Amino acid sequence: MTAQARSTRRFAFAAGHRYWVADWSPAENETRFGRLTVPHGHNYTLDVSVRGPIDERTGMVIDLGELKRIVTETVVDRFDHADLNADPLFRDRVPTTENIALAIWDLLAPKLGPDRLAGVRVWEDATLFVDYDGR
Ligand code: NI
C-alpha cells in the first residue's frame, strides 16, 4: 500500500481591506466593526496543504514547483498589493480572514483538485489564523 502524506507550502502577500457591509448604514457598520471600517493593510501568510500518495519515484505528494506556480499565479499575483474590497470575490462578502480563506479555497480547488487540496490556512498576523478545508 502506498503511504499517504500531507504537505504544506507557505506563501505571503500584502493586501489592504476594510470591514464594511454596503447594505448597512455607516452607523451600523461602525457599531459592528468599529475601527475595522477604516482601510488598513496586513501582511498575510498563506499555508496551502495538499494530500495524497507519496509518489514512489519522486518521493513527493506533489511537484513542489508546480504547487508554487499554481498558488503564485492563482492567489498571490491576484491579492498581493491589492485592495481586497475592490476584488469581485469580495463584492458581496466582507474580506474577513474567514472569507479570504474561503475565496482562496475556491480559487485553488479547481486547479489542484478538491481531493488533493487538503486545506488552506490564512494568517492575518501572528495572532490570528483561519483554517478552511472545503466543508
Ligand atoms: Ni484588518
Side-chain angles (χ1 to χ4, degrees), residues 30-108:
E30 194 71 35
T31 301
R32 298 267 186 162
F33 298 134
R35 292 288 293 165
L36 299 175
T37 58
V38 180
H40 60 277
H42 296 284
N43 292 312
Y44 290 95
T45 299
L46 166 62
D47 296 327
V48 177
S49 298
V50 293
R51 66 170 164 241
I54 302 172
D55 186 289
E56 283 176 19
R57 293 154 302 165
T58 66
M60 294 186 283
V61 168
I62 189 174
D63 180 330
L64 291 172
E66 183 198 1
L67 177 62
K68 184 178 182 181
R69 182 185 58 77
I70 290 171
V71 177
T72 300
E73 289 177 2
T74 310
V75 177
V76 178
D77 289 353
R78 179 171 186 149
F79 290 158
D80 194 30
H81 293 89
D83 170 6
L84 296 177
N85 295 81
D87 190 300
L89 286 170
F90 301 108
R91 187 167 290 145
D92 299 317
R93 52 185 172 182
V94 182
T96 57
T97 313
E98 290 87 337
N99 280 336
I100 294 168
L102 208 94
I104 290 173
W105 174 277
D106 288 342
L107 288 170
L108 289 177

